[in-house]
């Protein structure tokens, strides 16, 4: 039986944070050996919000280092940059010609981003079409993403069906989404969704005093130290739940409820749990910094493999759409 194609992307639009880790990267790493996995840096998508070439290049490089440090193995999956596969934008145009404007107008992510102050550019508006092309160009079966990406995956399924219907054949595979079940939305310092655009993040590779200061900024209510507290409404506890074992989480939950356990204590426990989870990746990331050329080597090889696959899907599409000429 053929292996399932697993595909996901992440925008190199800033420093990666715990929302990206639990909502996306952690499961990318877990899934890398369960199928034919493709993971990419969505640098075309990042252009919708970032117009600084040097910064985009640096972020792209940093996200590769983050992935490698966290355990992504480029021998088990294909890691590449979106812009190294031009077939993606080619397919995006074709899909755009089958996309009703009204479908884009329903996009919640567009409205969200505009309300956060991003410029309402066409790239942002048609973002889901490019994302659909990302997914469909590899005949992906499974797309592991966070809850907030649900609608975009639904649009990709919709566009695959529209294409197949219009051209009367099974040219594009209709993918499934795989939403991380245990994590819906990771809260940020202010309790809203943790997001680069809200400046409320805890970066994955923050450590030492900088991490302590960051954790110190998590908003809590003003219940005095000695009084019992409700863990279920506390932002610190929401993060503790992501890092702790069931036993640790139960223990800390009991401490909240029994009183005499302050938010400062909770934050200290959170830092300990984060240090445990990330101590190895932090060391590994420092080692990787001593290997110049490694990231580029990985992206070159990943790009080559991804292009090969994308080209095999694009061939029949050019044929059926009439874009390629028949040799007489
Ligand atoms: P940001 O909102 O910080 O710009 P992205 O939109 O680039 O993050 O998200 C990259 C991936 O990380 C997506 O798959 C998304 O679902 C996941 N993700 C981002 N923030 C969170 C969060 N707070 N909780 C859960 N998953 C998240
Ligand atoms: N939109 C995704 C995000 O903001 C990134 C992304 C682009 C993606 N293309 C994709 C995710 C294809 C999954 C599949 O995180």
């Amino acid at each position: 039986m053929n292996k399932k194609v697993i595909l996901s992307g992440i925008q190199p639009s800033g420093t990666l944070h715990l929302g990206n880790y639990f909502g996306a990267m952690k499961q990318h790493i877990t899934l890398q050996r369960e199928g034919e996995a493709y993971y990419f840096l969505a640098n075309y998508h990042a252009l919708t919000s970032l117009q600084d070439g040097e910064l985009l290049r640096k972020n792209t490089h940093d996200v590769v280092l983050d992935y490698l440090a966290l355990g992504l193995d480029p021998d088990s999956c294909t890691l590449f940059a979106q812009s190294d596969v031009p077939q993606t934008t080619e397919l995006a145009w074709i899909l755009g010609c089958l996309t009703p404007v009204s479908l884009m107008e329903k996009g919640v992510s567009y409205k969200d981003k505009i309300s956060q102050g991003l410029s309402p550019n066409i790239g942002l508006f048609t973002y889901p079409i490019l994302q659909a092309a990302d997914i469909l160009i590899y005949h992906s079966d499974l797309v592991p993403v966070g809850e907030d990406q649900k609608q975009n995956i639904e649009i990709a399924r919709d566009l695959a069906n529209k294409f197949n219907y219009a051209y009367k054949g099974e040219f594009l595979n209709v993918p499934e989404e795989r939403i991380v079940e245990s994590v819906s939305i990771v809260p940020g310092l202010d309790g809203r969704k943790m997001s680069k655009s809200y400046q409320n993040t805890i970066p994955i590779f923050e450590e030492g005093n900088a991490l302590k200061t960051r954790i110190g900024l998590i908003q809590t209510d003003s219940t005095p130290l000695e009084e019992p507290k409700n863990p279920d409404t506390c932002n610190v506890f929401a993060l503790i739940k992501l890092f702790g074992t069931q036993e640790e989480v139960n223990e800390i939950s009991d401490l909240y409820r029994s009183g005499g356990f302050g938010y400062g204590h909770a934050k200290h426990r959170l830092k300990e749990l984060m240090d445990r989870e990330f101590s190895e990746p932090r060391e590994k990331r420092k080692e990787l910094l001593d290997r110049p050329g490694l990231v580029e080597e990985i992206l070159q090889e990943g790009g080559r493999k991804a292009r090969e696959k994308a080209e095999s899907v694009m061939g029949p599409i050019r044929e059926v759409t009439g874009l390629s000429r028949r040799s007489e």
Side-chain angles (χ1 to χ4, degrees):
M1 207 182 80
N2 277 346
K3 277 186 175 175
K4 282 202 169 197
V5 175
I6 300 165
L7 169 122
S8 197
I10 201 156
Q11 292 190 73
S13 53
T15 306
L16 298 185
H17 53 76
L18 299 183
N20 301 136
Y21 177 64
F22 286 107
M25 303 171 90
K26 193 172 178 189
Q27 54 162 355
H28 297 168
I29 292 161
T30 309
L31 285 172
Q32 63 184 328
R33 292 186 183 86
E34 287 182 24
E36 185 185 334
Y38 292 84
Y39 299 127
F40 68 95
L41 297 315
N43 51 2
Y44 279 135
H45 278 115
L47 288 180
T48 58
S49 62
L50 177 65
Q51 286 103 24
D52 175 336
E54 274 319 309
L55 188 56
L56 180 59
R57 206 169 283 121
K58 177 181 183 302
N59 287 343
T60 306
H61 188 269
D62 286 353
V63 174
V64 176
L65 287 179
D66 292 351
Y67 259 126
L68 296 177
L70 289 167
L72 200 80
D73 173 4
D75 291 329
S76 305
C77 65
T78 301
L79 180 62
F80 64 101
Q82 185 184 32
S83 59
D84 282 340
V85 186
Q87 288 85 350
T88 311
T89 45
E90 190 183 354
L91 180 60
W93 177 260
I94 297 171
L95 294 175
C97 297
L98 293 167
T99 309
V101 171
S102 58
L103 183 63
M104 292 299 98
E105 282 170 345
K106 290 187 201 123
V108 286
S109 153
Y110 176 73
K111 286 179 207 146
D112 247 31
K113 287 176 177 170
I114 300 306
S115 70
Q116 286 160 28
L118 286 188
S119 85
N121 60 56
I122 290 291
L124 207 54
F125 187 64
T126 58
Y127 185 116
I129 303 179
L130 181 59
Q131 181 158 352
D134 288 327
I135 295 170
L136 303 177
I137 196 75
Y138 305 104
H139 277 337
S140 308
D141 296 302
L142 210 66
V143 188
V145 281
E147 178 82 35
D148 57 347
Q149 296 294 310
K150 229 178 147 102
Q151 192 188 33
N152 286 350
I153 312 301
E154 205 39 62
I155 292 173
R157 290 164 54 85
D158 198 358
L159 294 184
N161 283 321
K162 278 189 168 37
F163 186 95
N164 290 342
Y165 183 76
Y167 290 99
K168 303 184 184 57
E170 295 299 307
F171 297 97
L172 294 172
N173 191 46
V174 182
E176 296 166 40
E177 67 194 3
R178 161 93 64 103
I179 305 290
V180 203
E181 276 151 23
S182 55
V183 191
S184 41
I185 298 286
V186 177
L189 301 177
D190 54 2
R192 291 187 294 169
K193 175 194 153 183
M194 187 176 287
S195 170
K196 289 165 218 131
S197 26
Y198 294 154
Q199 274 108 40
N200 65 351
T201 67
I202 301 181
I204 301 171
F205 286 95
E206 199 80 277
E207 59 181 302
N209 275 338
L211 177 58
K212 192 169 167 216
T213 309
R214 214 70 205 143
I215 292 178
L217 294 172
I218 302 174
Q219 289 174 14
T220 51
D221 62 29
S222 50
T223 316
L225 188 143
E226 60 281 1
E227 277 184 31
K229 299 175 183 60
N230 182 359
D232 300 328
T233 54
C234 175
N235 295 326
V236 184
F237 189 74
L239 295 174
I240 287 176
K241 276 207 299 206
L242 296 169
F243 287 102
T245 61
Q246 194 54 50
E247 223 176 21
E248 288 162 340
V249 171
N250 292 344
E251 181 224 346
I252 297 172
S253 165
D254 290 345
L255 287 168
Y256 265 77
R257 294 183 199 283
S258 60
F261 183 78
Y263 292 120
H265 297 125
K267 288 177 175 180
H268 183 72
R269 291 298 294 267
L270 172 61
K271 178 161 183 306
E272 282 177 351
L273 292 172
M274 279 190 66
D275 285 343
R276 180 178 74 192
E277 178 104 1
F278 294 130
S279 66
E280 239 178 78
R282 284 173 191 156
E283 288 319 303
K284 182 148 183 223
R285 200 176 189 290
K286 287 173 198 150
E287 284 165 28
L288 291 169
L289 287 174
D290 290 335
R291 298 177 59 190
L294 177 73
V295 169
E296 189 46 32
E297 217 176 276
I298 291 170
L299 292 182
Q300 288 287 346
E301 176 58 14
R304 195 192 55 72
K305 286 201 297 198
R307 272 194 305 279
E308 203 175 288
K309 174 90 179 181
E311 187 53 29
S312 74
V313 175
M314 245 351 258
I317 289 181
R318 289 192 201 106
E319 171 77 23
V320 71
T321 49
L323 291 170
S324 59
R325 282 179 297 280
R326 292 225 168 84
S327 50
E328 302 292 314

